[in-house]
Amino acid sequence: MDVVIAGGGAAGLAAALALADDGHRVVVLERGSAPPPGPAARAGEVWRRPTSPQSRHAHTLTSFGVAALRGHAPALLADLLSAGASTVDLTTARPPGEAVPGDAELVALACRRSTFDVVLHRHVAARPGVDLRYGTRVTGLDVTGGRVTGARVGAHVVPADLVLDATGRRAAGRQWSHARGVAPAAVRTGPTSVAAYVRFYRRRGPFGPLNRGNAAGVLADHYAGVLHPGDNGTFSVAFGVLPQDDGLRALRDPEVFDAVGRVTPWVGDWLDDAVPLGDVRVMTCPPNAFHAPESSPTGLVAVGDAVCVTDPLFGRGVSLALAHGFALAGLVRAHAVADLGAAAAALADELLLPWFRQACEEGEDRIARWRASVAGTAADRPPTALRAAGAAAAASRDPELWRGVVRVLMGLDRPDALTAPPFADRVRRALAAGPPLPPPGLPDRSALLAVAARAGRRARVDLASGPDGDRVA
Ligand SMILES: Cc1cc2nc3c(=O)[nH]c(=O)nc-3n(C[C@H](O)[C@H](O)[C@H](O)COP(=O)(O)OP(=O)(O)OC[C@H]3O[C@@H](n4cnc5c(N)ncnc54)[C@H](O)[C@@H]3O)c2cc1C
Protein backbone atom coordinates (compact mmCIF):
# COMPACT_ATOMS: atom_id res chain seq x y z
CA MET A 1 0.00 0.00 0.00
CA ASP A 2 1.12 3.62 -0.59
CA VAL A 3 1.09 5.63 2.62
CA VAL A 4 1.75 9.38 2.87
CA ILE A 5 2.63 10.71 6.31
CA ALA A 6 2.18 14.45 6.77
CA GLY A 7 4.67 15.52 9.44
CA GLY A 8 8.04 14.11 10.45
CA GLY A 9 7.80 14.31 14.25
CA ALA A 10 8.11 11.36 16.62
CA ALA A 11 4.62 10.06 15.74
CA GLY A 12 4.98 10.28 11.96
CA LEU A 13 8.48 8.81 11.92
CA ALA A 14 7.59 5.93 14.27
CA ALA A 15 4.65 5.09 12.03
CA ALA A 16 6.93 5.34 8.98
CA LEU A 17 9.38 2.82 10.44
CA ALA A 18 6.71 0.33 11.42
CA LEU A 19 4.79 0.63 8.12
CA ALA A 20 8.00 0.20 6.11
CA ASP A 21 8.80 -2.88 8.20
CA ASP A 22 5.45 -4.28 7.01
CA GLY A 23 6.41 -3.69 3.38
CA HIS A 24 4.36 -0.55 2.65
CA ARG A 25 5.76 2.23 0.47
CA VAL A 26 5.97 5.25 2.76
CA VAL A 27 6.45 8.90 1.83
CA VAL A 28 6.95 11.32 4.74
CA LEU A 29 6.31 14.98 3.87
CA GLU A 30 7.86 17.33 6.43
CA ARG A 31 7.52 21.11 6.14
CA GLY A 32 10.73 21.79 8.10
CA SER A 33 14.32 21.37 6.97
CA ALA A 34 16.58 18.32 7.16
CA PRO A 35 19.04 18.04 10.06
CA PRO A 36 22.42 19.57 9.23
CA PRO A 37 25.48 17.30 8.87
CA GLY A 38 27.93 16.52 11.67
CA PRO A 39 27.76 14.67 14.97
CA ALA A 40 24.14 14.37 16.13
CA ALA A 41 24.56 16.36 19.35
CA ARG A 42 26.17 19.29 17.53
CA ALA A 43 23.77 19.10 14.56
CA GLY A 44 20.83 19.24 16.96
CA GLU A 45 22.16 22.40 18.59
CA VAL A 46 22.26 24.31 15.29
CA TRP A 47 19.23 22.79 13.49
CA ARG A 48 16.71 25.58 12.97
CA ARG A 49 13.15 24.24 13.41
CA PRO A 50 10.60 27.02 13.75
CA THR A 51 7.71 24.58 13.24
CA SER A 52 8.88 22.40 16.13
CA PRO A 53 9.69 24.87 18.92
CA GLN A 54 9.47 22.19 21.62
CA SER A 55 12.60 20.57 20.15
CA ARG A 56 14.66 23.35 21.82
CA HIS A 57 13.16 22.66 25.22
CA ALA A 58 13.71 20.23 28.07
CA HIS A 59 13.08 16.63 27.24
CA THR A 60 12.91 13.19 28.74
CA LEU A 61 11.69 9.84 27.52
CA THR A 62 9.68 7.80 30.02
CA SER A 63 10.06 4.07 30.68
CA PHE A 64 7.02 3.56 28.42
CA GLY A 65 8.88 5.33 25.59
CA VAL A 66 12.01 3.26 26.19
CA ALA A 67 9.86 0.10 26.13
CA ALA A 68 8.31 1.22 22.82
CA LEU A 69 11.79 1.66 21.32
CA ARG A 70 13.05 -1.64 22.72
CA GLY A 71 10.01 -3.45 21.35
CA HIS A 72 9.63 -1.83 17.94
CA ALA A 73 12.87 -0.05 17.02
CA PRO A 74 15.85 -1.52 18.91
CA ALA A 75 18.23 -0.32 16.16
CA LEU A 76 17.03 3.26 16.69
CA LEU A 77 17.63 2.92 20.42
CA ALA A 78 21.14 1.63 19.66
CA ASP A 79 21.74 4.68 17.41
CA LEU A 80 20.62 7.00 20.23
CA LEU A 81 22.98 5.35 22.70
CA SER A 82 25.84 5.60 20.17
CA ALA A 83 25.10 9.32 19.82
CA GLY A 84 25.68 9.88 23.55
CA ALA A 85 22.26 9.17 25.09
CA SER A 86 22.15 6.84 28.08
CA THR A 87 19.58 4.84 29.97
CA VAL A 88 19.00 5.95 33.54
CA ASP A 89 18.20 3.33 36.19
CA LEU A 90 15.34 4.83 38.20
CA THR A 91 15.47 2.23 40.95
CA THR A 92 18.49 3.95 42.52
CA ALA A 93 15.88 6.24 44.17
CA ARG A 94 13.75 3.30 45.44
CA PRO A 95 13.34 3.10 49.21
CA PRO A 96 15.16 0.07 50.68
CA GLY A 97 13.35 -3.21 50.03
CA GLU A 98 13.26 -6.23 47.77
CA ALA A 99 13.48 -5.62 44.02
CA VAL A 100 10.63 -7.12 41.99
CA PRO A 101 10.90 -8.32 38.37
CA GLY A 102 9.05 -5.26 36.95
CA ASP A 103 11.75 -2.98 38.38
CA ALA A 104 13.93 -3.80 35.38
CA GLU A 105 11.48 -1.75 33.25
CA LEU A 106 12.10 1.36 35.36
CA VAL A 107 14.57 3.12 33.09
CA ALA A 108 14.43 6.44 31.24
CA LEU A 109 16.41 7.75 28.29
CA ALA A 110 18.69 10.68 29.04
CA CYS A 111 18.84 12.59 25.75
CA ARG A 112 18.17 16.16 24.70
CA ARG A 113 15.26 16.47 22.30
CA SER A 114 17.52 18.12 19.74
CA THR A 115 19.87 15.11 19.70
CA PHE A 116 16.96 12.65 19.82
CA ASP A 117 15.34 14.21 16.77
CA VAL A 118 18.53 14.28 14.67
CA VAL A 119 19.13 10.58 15.35
CA LEU A 120 15.48 9.73 14.68
CA HIS A 121 15.41 11.65 11.37
CA ARG A 122 18.69 10.13 10.15
CA HIS A 123 17.59 6.65 11.16
CA VAL A 124 14.30 6.93 9.25
CA ALA A 125 15.91 8.64 6.23
CA ALA A 126 18.30 5.69 5.92
CA ARG A 127 15.44 3.15 6.14
CA PRO A 128 14.74 1.46 2.78
CA GLY A 129 11.05 1.84 1.92
CA VAL A 130 10.77 5.35 3.40
CA ASP A 131 11.06 8.48 1.24
CA LEU A 132 11.50 11.40 3.67
CA ARG A 133 11.02 14.74 1.89
CA TYR A 134 11.79 18.04 3.64
CA GLY A 135 10.57 21.55 2.93
CA THR A 136 7.21 20.12 1.86
CA ARG A 137 4.03 21.38 3.49
CA VAL A 138 0.89 19.32 3.00
CA THR A 139 -1.99 21.70 2.25
CA GLY A 140 -4.95 19.36 1.87
CA LEU A 141 -6.34 16.05 0.71
CA ASP A 142 -7.11 14.56 -2.66
CA VAL A 143 -10.43 12.73 -2.35
CA THR A 144 -12.13 10.55 -4.97
CA GLY A 145 -15.49 8.89 -4.40
CA GLY A 146 -15.41 9.71 -0.68
CA ARG A 147 -12.00 8.09 -0.17
CA VAL A 148 -8.68 9.81 0.33
CA THR A 149 -6.47 9.20 -2.71
CA GLY A 150 -3.54 11.45 -1.91
CA ALA A 151 -2.07 14.40 -0.06
CA ARG A 152 -2.01 17.83 -1.68
CA VAL A 153 1.12 19.94 -1.70
CA GLY A 154 -0.18 23.10 -3.34
CA ALA A 155 -1.32 22.12 -6.82
CA HIS A 156 0.60 18.85 -6.72
CA VAL A 157 -0.86 15.54 -5.45
CA VAL A 158 1.21 12.79 -3.83
CA PRO A 159 -0.93 9.69 -4.39
CA ALA A 160 -1.75 7.49 -1.40
CA ASP A 161 -4.13 4.76 -0.26
CA LEU A 162 -3.75 6.09 3.28
CA VAL A 163 -2.73 9.52 4.63
CA LEU A 164 -1.59 9.93 8.23
CA ASP A 165 -2.00 13.33 9.84
CA ALA A 166 1.13 13.54 11.99
CA THR A 167 1.26 17.34 11.95
CA GLY A 168 1.39 17.74 15.73
CA ARG A 169 -0.82 19.70 18.07
CA ARG A 170 -2.28 21.95 15.34
CA ALA A 171 -3.83 18.81 13.81
CA ALA A 172 -3.90 20.17 10.25
CA GLY A 173 -5.92 17.15 9.09
CA ARG A 174 -8.97 18.62 10.79
CA GLN A 175 -8.90 21.59 8.42
CA TRP A 176 -8.25 19.32 5.44
CA SER A 177 -11.29 17.23 6.40
CA HIS A 178 -13.38 20.34 6.87
CA ALA A 179 -12.40 21.60 3.42
CA ARG A 180 -13.64 18.25 2.08
CA GLY A 181 -17.03 18.62 3.78
CA VAL A 182 -16.36 16.34 6.79
CA ALA A 183 -17.04 18.23 10.01
CA PRO A 184 -14.32 17.32 12.51
CA ALA A 185 -15.45 16.04 15.92
CA ALA A 186 -15.39 18.43 18.84
CA VAL A 187 -12.05 18.88 20.56
CA ARG A 188 -11.88 18.28 24.30
CA THR A 189 -9.38 20.53 26.01
CA GLY A 190 -8.06 21.24 29.49
CA PRO A 191 -5.77 24.10 30.48
CA THR A 192 -2.12 23.60 31.35
CA SER A 193 -1.34 27.26 32.17
CA VAL A 194 2.40 26.74 32.19
CA ALA A 195 5.14 29.01 30.91
CA ALA A 196 8.32 26.92 30.63
CA TYR A 197 11.76 28.49 31.16
CA VAL A 198 14.60 26.19 30.18
CA ARG A 199 18.37 26.31 30.22
CA PHE A 200 20.91 23.64 29.27
CA TYR A 201 24.20 22.90 31.02
CA ARG A 202 27.15 20.56 30.71
CA ARG A 203 28.27 18.89 33.90
CA ARG A 204 31.91 18.09 34.54
CA GLY A 205 31.33 15.55 37.31
CA PRO A 206 29.01 12.53 37.44
CA PHE A 207 25.23 13.00 37.39
CA GLY A 208 23.55 13.68 40.75
CA PRO A 209 20.63 11.73 42.24
CA LEU A 210 17.11 11.79 40.74
CA ASN A 211 14.25 12.02 43.22
CA ARG A 212 11.29 12.20 40.79
CA GLY A 213 11.55 9.17 38.54
CA ASN A 214 13.45 10.42 35.51
CA ALA A 215 13.89 13.93 36.97
CA ALA A 216 15.35 15.72 39.95
CA GLY A 217 13.54 18.64 41.51
CA VAL A 218 10.26 19.77 43.01
CA LEU A 219 6.64 20.38 42.11
CA ALA A 220 6.12 23.16 44.65
CA ASP A 221 2.98 25.11 45.54
CA HIS A 222 3.56 27.85 42.97
CA TYR A 223 6.21 26.57 40.55
CA ALA A 224 7.89 23.44 39.28
CA GLY A 225 11.68 23.20 39.06
CA VAL A 226 12.90 20.01 37.41
CA LEU A 227 16.11 18.78 35.93
CA HIS A 228 16.50 16.09 33.28
CA PRO A 229 19.79 14.40 32.42
CA GLY A 230 20.60 14.69 28.70
CA ASP A 231 23.12 13.19 26.28
CA ASN A 232 26.89 13.71 26.30
CA GLY A 233 27.14 15.02 29.87
CA THR A 234 24.42 17.64 29.41
CA PHE A 235 21.31 18.30 31.46
CA SER A 236 18.40 20.71 31.30
CA VAL A 237 16.80 22.69 34.09
CA ALA A 238 13.20 23.72 33.49
CA PHE A 239 10.97 25.96 35.56
CA GLY A 240 7.24 25.83 35.02
CA VAL A 241 5.26 28.83 36.32
CA LEU A 242 1.84 30.32 35.69
CA PRO A 243 2.09 32.49 32.53
CA GLN A 244 0.55 35.35 34.58
CA ASP A 245 3.10 35.01 37.40
CA ASP A 246 4.75 38.43 37.06
CA GLY A 247 6.99 37.74 40.06
CA LEU A 248 8.84 34.99 38.19
CA ARG A 249 8.88 36.49 34.70
CA ALA A 250 12.48 37.50 35.44
CA LEU A 251 13.43 33.81 35.03
CA ARG A 252 14.25 34.67 31.42
CA ASP A 253 17.32 36.46 32.81
CA PRO A 254 20.10 33.81 33.05
CA GLU A 255 21.37 35.24 36.37
CA VAL A 256 17.91 34.98 37.91
CA PHE A 257 17.41 31.54 36.40
CA ASP A 258 20.63 30.18 37.89
CA ALA A 259 19.95 31.79 41.27
CA VAL A 260 16.49 30.20 41.47
CA GLY A 261 18.03 26.90 40.32
CA ARG A 262 20.61 27.04 43.10
CA VAL A 263 17.95 27.31 45.81
CA THR A 264 15.63 24.68 44.31
CA PRO A 265 16.05 21.39 46.20
CA TRP A 266 17.70 18.60 44.16
CA VAL A 267 18.50 21.02 41.31
CA GLY A 268 20.99 23.25 43.13
CA ASP A 269 23.58 20.49 43.70
CA TRP A 270 23.82 19.77 39.97
CA LEU A 271 24.57 23.41 39.15
CA ASP A 272 27.66 23.50 41.35
CA ASP A 273 29.91 21.92 38.78
CA ALA A 274 28.15 22.85 35.54
CA VAL A 275 28.67 25.29 32.68
CA PRO A 276 25.66 26.81 30.92
CA LEU A 277 25.12 26.09 27.22
CA GLY A 278 23.43 29.26 26.03
CA ASP A 279 20.60 31.44 27.23
CA VAL A 280 17.20 30.78 28.79
CA ARG A 281 14.49 29.58 26.38
CA VAL A 282 10.87 30.42 27.07
CA MET A 283 7.71 28.77 25.74
CA THR A 284 4.07 28.85 26.76
CA CYS A 285 2.87 25.27 26.87
CA PRO A 286 -0.13 24.19 24.80
CA PRO A 287 -3.33 23.06 26.54
CA ASN A 288 -4.26 19.42 26.94
CA ALA A 289 -6.32 18.39 23.93
CA PHE A 290 -8.08 15.28 22.66
CA HIS A 291 -9.40 15.15 19.10
CA ALA A 292 -11.68 12.15 18.71
CA PRO A 293 -10.39 10.76 15.40
CA GLU A 294 -13.49 8.88 14.19
CA SER A 295 -14.92 11.60 11.95
CA SER A 296 -12.13 11.79 9.35
CA PRO A 297 -12.78 10.92 5.72
CA THR A 298 -11.99 7.30 4.83
CA GLY A 299 -8.25 6.98 4.37
CA LEU A 300 -7.18 9.79 6.74
CA VAL A 301 -5.97 8.80 10.22
CA ALA A 302 -4.35 11.08 12.79
CA VAL A 303 -1.44 10.11 15.04
CA GLY A 304 0.47 11.58 18.00
CA ASP A 305 -0.24 15.12 19.16
CA ALA A 306 -2.65 15.49 16.24
CA VAL A 307 -4.93 13.28 18.36
CA CYS A 308 -3.86 13.94 21.91
CA VAL A 309 -1.74 16.59 23.64
CA THR A 310 -0.86 16.11 27.30
CA ASP A 311 0.68 18.57 29.71
CA PRO A 312 4.43 18.84 28.99
CA LEU A 313 5.07 18.91 32.74
CA PHE A 314 4.53 15.13 32.64
CA GLY A 315 7.04 14.69 29.80
CA ARG A 316 5.21 11.85 28.11
CA GLY A 317 4.13 13.25 24.72
CA VAL A 318 7.00 11.73 22.73
CA SER A 319 6.57 8.36 24.45
CA LEU A 320 2.86 8.37 23.57
CA ALA A 321 3.59 9.60 20.02
CA LEU A 322 6.11 6.78 19.42
CA ALA A 323 3.80 4.12 20.88
CA HIS A 324 0.85 5.49 18.90
CA GLY A 325 2.85 5.51 15.65
CA PHE A 326 3.98 1.91 16.16
CA ALA A 327 0.46 0.81 17.19
CA LEU A 328 -1.14 2.39 14.11
CA ALA A 329 0.95 0.15 11.90
CA GLY A 330 -0.59 -2.78 13.78
CA LEU A 331 -4.07 -1.46 12.93
CA VAL A 332 -3.14 -1.16 9.25
CA ARG A 333 -2.02 -4.80 9.39
CA ALA A 334 -5.34 -5.93 10.87
CA HIS A 335 -7.95 -3.75 9.11
CA ALA A 336 -9.06 -2.66 5.67
CA VAL A 337 -8.61 1.09 5.05
CA ALA A 338 -12.41 1.53 5.19
CA ASP A 339 -12.43 0.22 8.79
CA LEU A 340 -9.40 2.12 10.01
CA GLY A 341 -11.32 5.16 11.31
CA ALA A 342 -13.27 3.14 13.89
CA ALA A 343 -10.22 1.07 14.83
CA ALA A 344 -8.12 4.23 15.25
CA ALA A 345 -10.80 5.77 17.47
CA ALA A 346 -10.78 2.67 19.69
CA LEU A 347 -6.97 2.76 19.85
CA ALA A 348 -6.98 6.44 20.86
CA ASP A 349 -9.53 5.71 23.61
CA GLU A 350 -7.39 2.86 24.90
CA LEU A 351 -3.89 4.31 24.56
CA LEU A 352 -4.28 8.09 24.86
CA LEU A 353 -7.55 9.07 26.53
CA PRO A 354 -6.59 7.94 30.08
CA TRP A 355 -3.50 10.19 29.92
CA PHE A 356 -5.51 13.12 28.57
CA ARG A 357 -7.97 12.74 31.47
CA GLN A 358 -5.20 12.39 34.03
CA ALA A 359 -3.37 15.47 32.67
CA CYS A 360 -6.61 17.52 32.80
CA GLU A 361 -7.40 16.43 36.35
CA GLU A 362 -3.87 17.05 37.63
CA GLY A 363 -3.70 20.31 35.70
CA GLU A 364 -6.86 21.72 37.27
CA ASP A 365 -5.56 20.78 40.70
CA ARG A 366 -2.11 22.29 40.14
CA ILE A 367 -3.42 25.50 38.54
CA ALA A 368 -5.79 26.08 41.46
CA ARG A 369 -2.97 25.56 43.98
CA TRP A 370 -0.52 27.77 42.07
CA ARG A 371 -3.08 30.55 41.62
CA ALA A 372 -3.95 30.49 45.31
CA SER A 373 -0.30 30.58 46.27
CA VAL A 374 0.47 33.51 43.94
CA ALA A 375 -2.59 35.35 45.30
CA GLY A 376 -1.62 34.50 48.89
CA THR A 377 -4.85 32.59 49.57
CA ALA A 378 -5.45 28.92 50.38
CA ALA A 379 -6.56 26.41 47.72
CA ASP A 380 -9.14 24.20 49.31
CA ARG A 381 -9.32 21.07 47.16
CA PRO A 382 -9.19 17.37 47.86
CA PRO A 383 -5.97 15.93 46.42
CA THR A 384 -6.05 14.10 43.10
CA ALA A 385 -5.09 10.42 43.03
CA LEU A 386 -1.56 11.18 41.86
CA ARG A 387 -1.04 13.95 44.39
CA ALA A 388 -2.31 11.75 47.23
CA ALA A 389 -0.19 8.79 46.13
CA GLY A 390 2.86 11.01 45.60
CA ALA A 391 2.38 12.52 49.05
CA ALA A 392 1.97 9.08 50.63
CA ALA A 393 5.12 7.83 48.89
CA ALA A 394 7.02 10.91 50.08
CA ALA A 395 5.72 10.52 53.62
CA SER A 396 6.76 6.89 53.97
CA ARG A 397 9.70 4.63 53.18
CA ASP A 398 7.42 2.11 51.46
CA PRO A 399 8.92 0.76 48.21
CA GLU A 400 5.45 -0.41 47.06
CA LEU A 401 4.11 3.15 47.22
CA TRP A 402 7.19 4.50 45.48
CA ARG A 403 6.88 1.86 42.75
CA GLY A 404 3.17 2.54 42.21
CA VAL A 405 3.72 6.27 41.73
CA VAL A 406 6.83 5.95 39.55
CA ARG A 407 5.24 3.28 37.32
CA VAL A 408 2.34 5.64 36.60
CA LEU A 409 4.60 8.66 36.12
CA MET A 410 6.72 6.59 33.73
CA GLY A 411 3.64 5.45 31.78
CA LEU A 412 4.07 1.74 32.58
CA ASP A 413 0.81 1.53 34.54
CA ARG A 414 -2.29 3.51 33.73
CA PRO A 415 -3.42 6.29 36.05
CA ASP A 416 -6.31 4.21 37.45
CA ALA A 417 -3.71 1.93 39.09
CA LEU A 418 -3.49 4.64 41.77
CA THR A 419 -7.16 4.32 42.68
CA ALA A 420 -7.37 0.51 42.57
CA PRO A 421 -8.33 -0.80 46.06
CA PRO A 422 -5.16 -2.42 47.46
CA PHE A 423 -2.99 0.47 46.36
CA ALA A 424 -5.46 3.18 47.38
CA ASP A 425 -5.74 1.55 50.84
CA ARG A 426 -1.97 1.66 51.20
CA VAL A 427 -2.00 5.35 50.25
CA ARG A 428 -4.67 6.09 52.86
CA ARG A 429 -2.73 4.23 55.58
CA ALA A 430 0.51 6.08 54.77
CA LEU A 431 -1.20 9.47 54.81
CA ALA A 432 -2.97 8.67 58.10
CA ALA A 433 0.50 8.41 59.67
CA GLY A 434 1.17 12.06 58.79
CA PRO A 435 1.67 14.29 55.74
CA PRO A 436 5.06 14.44 54.03
CA LEU A 437 7.53 17.09 55.11
CA PRO A 438 8.42 19.59 52.37
CA PRO A 439 11.83 18.89 50.79
CA PRO A 440 14.53 20.29 53.08
CA GLY A 441 15.51 23.79 51.99
CA LEU A 442 12.47 24.47 49.77
CA PRO A 443 12.07 28.28 49.88
CA ASP A 444 8.56 29.63 50.30
CA ARG A 445 7.23 32.02 47.67
CA SER A 446 8.42 35.24 49.29
CA ALA A 447 11.92 33.79 49.82
CA LEU A 448 12.05 32.64 46.21
CA LEU A 449 10.92 36.04 44.90
CA ALA A 450 13.59 37.69 47.07
CA VAL A 451 16.27 35.41 45.55
CA ALA A 452 15.01 36.31 42.05
CA ALA A 453 14.92 40.04 42.81
CA ARG A 454 18.45 40.05 44.29
CA ALA A 455 19.86 38.19 41.28
CA GLY A 456 18.03 40.56 38.91
CA ARG A 457 19.52 43.60 40.64
CA ARG A 458 23.00 42.04 40.52
CA ALA A 459 22.59 41.34 36.80
CA ARG A 460 21.51 44.92 36.11
CA VAL A 461 24.54 46.30 37.98
CA ASP A 462 26.89 43.95 36.08
CA LEU A 463 25.31 44.98 32.78
CA ALA A 464 25.69 48.67 33.59
CA SER A 465 29.32 48.28 34.68
CA GLY A 466 32.43 47.84 32.60
CA PRO A 467 35.25 45.48 33.60
CA ASP A 468 36.60 48.01 36.14
CA GLY A 469 33.23 48.75 37.61
CA ASP A 470 32.84 51.91 35.46
CA ARG A 471 29.47 52.62 33.92
CA VAL A 472 29.32 51.74 30.25
CA ALA A 473 28.61 54.86 28.20
C1 LIG B 1 7.69 22.86 26.11
C2 LIG B 1 7.42 21.41 25.81
C3 LIG B 1 8.17 20.42 26.45
C4 LIG B 1 7.92 19.07 26.21
N1 LIG B 1 8.66 18.13 26.87
C5 LIG B 1 8.45 16.82 26.62
C6 LIG B 1 9.24 15.83 27.26
O1 LIG B 1 10.11 16.11 28.08
N2 LIG B 1 8.99 14.54 26.96
C7 LIG B 1 8.02 14.17 26.09
O2 LIG B 1 7.84 12.98 25.86
N3 LIG B 1 7.25 15.08 25.48
C8 LIG B 1 7.44 16.39 25.72
N4 LIG B 1 6.67 17.32 25.08
C9 LIG B 1 5.59 16.88 24.18
C10 LIG B 1 6.16 16.48 22.83
O3 LIG B 1 6.94 17.53 22.31
C11 LIG B 1 5.03 16.16 21.84
O4 LIG B 1 4.10 15.32 22.45
C12 LIG B 1 5.61 15.47 20.58
O5 LIG B 1 6.46 16.36 19.90
C13 LIG B 1 4.49 15.02 19.66
O6 LIG B 1 5.06 14.46 18.50
P1 LIG B 1 4.28 14.55 17.12
O7 LIG B 1 5.12 13.82 16.13
O8 LIG B 1 2.88 14.13 17.28
O9 LIG B 1 4.21 16.10 16.77
P2 LIG B 1 5.38 17.16 16.49
O10 LIG B 1 6.60 16.80 17.24
O11 LIG B 1 4.79 18.50 16.72
O12 LIG B 1 5.72 16.97 14.95
C14 LIG B 1 4.86 17.44 13.95
C15 LIG B 1 5.68 17.64 12.69
O13 LIG B 1 4.79 17.93 11.62
C16 LIG B 1 5.36 18.95 10.81
N5 LIG B 1 4.22 19.61 10.12
C17 LIG B 1 3.25 20.36 10.68
N6 LIG B 1 2.35 20.72 9.73
C18 LIG B 1 2.76 20.15 8.57
C19 LIG B 1 2.23 20.13 7.25
N7 LIG B 1 1.10 20.78 6.93
N8 LIG B 1 2.92 19.45 6.31
C20 LIG B 1 4.08 18.80 6.59
N9 LIG B 1 4.62 18.80 7.84
C21 LIG B 1 3.95 19.44 8.82
C22 LIG B 1 6.09 19.86 11.80
O14 LIG B 1 7.10 20.61 11.15
C23 LIG B 1 6.66 18.82 12.78
O15 LIG B 1 7.94 18.38 12.38
C24 LIG B 1 6.90 18.69 25.31
C25 LIG B 1 6.15 19.68 24.65
C26 LIG B 1 6.40 21.02 24.90
C27 LIG B 1 5.58 22.05 24.19
Side-chain angles (χ1 to χ4, degrees):
M1 170 154 76
D2 288 306
V3 184
V4 167
I5 301 178
L13 295 181
L17 280 180
L19 288 164
D21 284 349
D22 283 350
H24 300 293
R25 291 171 300 276
V26 180
V27 178
V28 180
L29 305 176
E30 164 56 43
R31 65 184 295 186
S33 58
R42 177 77 195 120
E45 286 165 9
V46 297
W47 188 9
R48 277 189 38 73
R49 304 179 71 198
T51 59
S52 190
Q54 66 272 19
S55 60
R56 290 166 40 81
H57 276 256
H59 179 250
T60 180
L61 198 72
T62 62
S63 309
F64 182 59
V66 175
L69 291 179
R70 283 177 172 165
H72 296 275
L76 169 59
L77 181 58
D79 284 357
L80 288 160
L81 297 175
S82 305
S86 56
T87 48
V88 180
D89 176 5
L90 308 183
T91 62
T92 53
R94 191 188 60 212
E98 291 286 301
V100 302
D103 284 359
E105 297 171 295
L106 288 172
V107 290
L109 190 75
C111 189
R112 284 171 297 177
R113 178 73 183 269
S114 53
T115 307
F116 183 92
D117 282 356
V118 170
V119 174
L120 173 64
H121 275 252
R122 287 181 180 166
H123 184 87
V124 175
R127 174 73 177 76
V130 181
D131 175 4
L132 175 47
R133 302 180 195 166
Y134 291 97
T136 309
R137 186 167 80 88
V138 175
T139 51
L141 297 172
D142 196 51
V143 178
T144 311
R147 284 180 70 117
V148 171
T149 43
R152 289 193 162 271
V153 178
H156 178 68
V157 173
V158 183
D161 304 299
L162 173 66
V163 173
L164 297 190
D165 170 13
T167 59
R169 62 183 174 277
R170 296 211 166 72
R174 292 169 58 82
Q175 286 111 57
W176 307 335
S177 299
H178 200 246
R180 287 287 162 180
V182 179
V187 184
R188 285 184 253 176
T189 59
T192 52
S193 282
V194 178
Y197 296 78
V198 176
R199 198 173 195 199
F200 289 87
Y201 302 83
R202 196 178 301 281
R203 185 163 160 87
R204 295 195 198 91
F207 282 163
L210 300 173
N211 65 313
R212 295 185 61 80
N214 56 0
V218 292
L219 180 55
D221 68 353
H222 65 118
Y223 83 111
V226 287
L227 175 157
H228 291 296
D231 53 282
N232 296 289
T234 61
F235 66 90
S236 62
V237 173
F239 293 111
V241 305
L242 288 173
Q244 310 77 10
D245 187 344
D246 291 336
L248 288 175
R249 237 180 257 278
L251 279 169
R252 64 170 68 236
D253 176 339
E255 294 268 350
V256 175
F257 189 98
D258 285 2
V260 172
R262 271 188 221 101
V263 298
T264 296
W266 298 96
V267 172
D269 293 348
W270 285 60
L271 292 178
D272 282 347
D273 196 18
V275 282
L277 302 172
D279 271 344
V280 179
R281 299 167 180 185
V282 190
M283 180 170 179
T284 304
C285 294
N288 299 297
F290 187 79
H291 305 126
E294 73 273 11
S295 60
S296 303
T298 300
L300 174 69
V301 175
V303 59
D305 272 16
V307 179
C308 179
V309 181
T310 57
D311 191 335
L313 276 187
F314 290 108
R316 60 169 69 99
V318 172
S319 296
L320 290 177
L322 290 170
H324 196 206
F326 293 137
L328 262 189
L331 291 193
V332 172
R333 220 172 292 138
H335 297 274
V337 171
D339 301 329
L340 271 180
L347 174 65
D349 283 354
E350 166 72 19
L351 179 68
L352 305 174
L353 192 54
W355 298 109
F356 166 75
R357 290 200 177 115
Q358 182 260 352
C360 290
E361 188 188 343
E362 297 296 331
E364 272 178 31
D365 177 72
R366 173 185 50 76
I367 294 164
R369 285 185 295 121
W370 283 11
R371 283 196 179 136
S373 175
V374 169
T377 57
D380 189 15
R381 294 170 65 92
T384 58
L386 180 59
R387 185 148 65 90
S396 78
R397 301 293 296 155
D398 179 344
E400 273 307 301
L401 284 176
W402 175 87
R403 192 173 281 118
V405 172
V406 173
R407 286 189 67 85
V408 169
L409 283 175
M410 292 298 104
L412 292 172
D413 290 342
R414 288 161 48 129
D416 54 11
L418 300 174
T419 48
F423 189 80
D425 292 344
R426 220 177 172 108
V427 167
R428 265 191 297 278
R429 278 200 302 278
L431 286 177
L437 296 171
L442 178 66
D444 64 16
R445 181 161 171 84
S446 58
L448 196 78
L449 292 183
V451 166
R454 261 197 315 277
R457 274 198 301 276
R458 245 191 343 264
R460 282 193 293 279
V461 170
D462 289 350
L463 207 66
S465 306
D468 304 317
D470 300 334
R471 285 194 81 75
V472 176

